[in-house]
Structures are given as structure tokens and as C-alpha cells.
Amino acid sequence: MPIGVHTSTAGGISRSVARATELECTTMQVFVSSPRTWKADALKDSEVRDFKKFRKEAELAPIVVHTSYLINLATPSEEAYEKSKKLFTDELRIAKEIKAEYIVTHPGSFHDEDEKFGIKRVAMALMESAKSIKGKLPVILIENTAGGGTQIGGKLSNIGKIIKASKGVRVGLCYDTCHGFAAGYPFNTKKDGLKLISEIDEGVGLKNLKVIHLNDSKGECGSKVDRHEHLGKGKLGGAAMASFLSDKRVREIPLILETPKSDDDADTRNLKEARKLQRSKKK
């Protein structure tokens, strides 16, 4: 099971590789533009070249790109939809250029419409964006959400519907443990961990689960509160994590930690805890 963290690209995306290898990561996730702006500038050729060279030398795989937080592909607003679709397309193009295997995006909110509208809207955006770029693209992963307000993705079945509706596009699931817990999927006991695997299979299909965001949760189950916590410090149970991670149906799925970076050693501690969870079930 490859394991890594969301890695800073400060000073250039190629520098993210060194940061990941220092933590002994075997995979990693990055932004390719500022996550809170509407602009995704093309990367310099030298940065793209160095990134691909360094990640190959470091044997990091897969590379996961996370899109901007501003993107809302489910919105009924035409202006916001077109802006979101353009930004998603620009980031998808950059992800392809650096040869990332996956690109993760939040599906967004349907506001004063309904779930059916939001699902159709997201699928249409994915198809239009993918069609506008030539060549083999990274697999697009829809991340499950905490389900607050009118968010799409709190229910796994909605992500399954987006995948089915996205004709001609490779689309899968990135499952976030904090978001799922906040949305109402229990994750405290060994039984919860095994049940979640069955629920993912039923709602999305296990073959479509490509990446796991392993995060603890500050909020309670069903709280709809999207607040990540350090592993072992939140409301999720270690028994659930251990049974989930070690099950043969998911144990080779890449893990990305998005736990708080509260100090310089936070990533090191959380990676240590994640590896401990993996080993605890193997004994």
C-alpha cells in the first residue's frame, strides 16, 4: 500500500519530490496552482521536466493532483459553472503534463436545485473538460464530502451515479475517512471498517476506489463537519482503521494523509501512526 502526504510545492513543483522522499513517502499529493484562486498558470518547461525526472528517480507512484477548492461543478449558476469548468480543465491539463496518475476534485453543491441536477451537472462538466484535451488523461477521482448543506458526495451512491453518467471518461472515487464519518458512515469498530468496504462496493464499486485520504475527524459521526484531525487524536477508531486498511479488497489502494500540519513534525508523526495501523493488523 503506497503511503504519502499532501506535499508543499513552495519554490516550484519539482521541490515537492524532495519533501516527500524526506518523509519516506512512496506516493504523494500536490496542488498544481493555488487552491484558493481562479487561475492555474502553465508550469515552466524546466519545472515539468525536473518534476518528472525527480519523481522517477524517487520511484514515487502514483502522483495525485488535488484541484482548487473553489471549483463547483454542480452549481446551477452559469457564470460559476463556466469558471469552475475552465479552472478544472486547466488543472487537468497540467496534471496530464506532469504525468500524474490521478486528479481529485470535490463535486460541489447544487444550491437551490436538487441532487439529480447536481449529478448531471458534474458528469457533463467532466465529459466536456476531458473532451477538450487530447491524449491520455489522469483518472478523475470524485472525493466524497461531509455532506453539509447541498453538497453532492455525502452519499456514496451519488458518486456512483456521477461515474456512470460520465460517458467516455475514466472516473473513480477518492474516499476520505474524515468526510465519510462526518457524512454519517460509522468508523469506530472493526465491524465498521469492514462494513464501510461493503458500502463503498455497493455505492460506487470497489474497482472504482483508487485513492484513500486517511484522516481522523474532529467532528462526530453524522455531524457534517469537515474538520481533519491527527490520526489517533480524533473521533475515528483505530480498530476500524486497522480492519479497513488491511482488508485484501483495499490494502493495495494508495493512502494520502491530509492531516493538520500544525508543526514541522506533524507529517512524520501521522505517517508513523498510519504505518503502525497497517502493521497492527498484519501481526
Side-chain angles (χ1 to χ4, degrees), residues 3-7 23 25 27-29 256-257 261 267 271:
I3 185 168
V5 299
H6 187 101
T7 310
L23 293 168
C25 295
T27 181
M28 71 175 187
Q29 178 175 278
I256 298 290
L257 277 61
K261 299 183 186 291
D267 281 339
L271 283 166

Side-chain angles (χ1 to χ4, degrees), residues 52-69:
K52 291 191 290 187
K53 175 177 179 287
F54 297 157
R55 73 76 59 106
K56 183 178 180 180
E57 292 173 347
E59 298 182 337
L60 285 170
I63 299 298
V64 183
V65 168
H66 198 299
T67 64
S68 168
Y69 296 133

Side-chain angles (χ1 to χ4, degrees), residues 177 181 185-197 214 235-247 277 281:
T177 54
F181 186 72
Y185 292 92
F187 203 66
N188 293 108
T189 67
K190 176 181 177 180
K191 186 177 180 180
D192 290 339
L194 297 176
K195 182 181 178 183
L196 177 60
I197 296 172
L214 187 66
K235 305 297 183 180
L236 272 61
M241 286 190 181
S243 64
F244 180 72
L245 296 178
S246 64
D247 190 280
L277 286 167
K281 187 64 178 179

Side-chain angles (χ1 to χ4, degrees), residues 208-241:
N208 294 314
L209 174 62
K210 303 299 184 182
V211 171
I212 295 168
H213 281 172
L214 187 66
N215 305 302
D216 212 322
S217 173
K218 289 182 182 291
E220 300 286 350
C221 184
S223 65
K224 313 298 183 185
V225 175
D226 177 7
R227 292 189 66 194
H228 296 190
E229 179 60 287
H230 299 289
L231 297 184
K233 303 297 183 181
K235 305 297 183 180
L236 272 61
M241 286 190 181

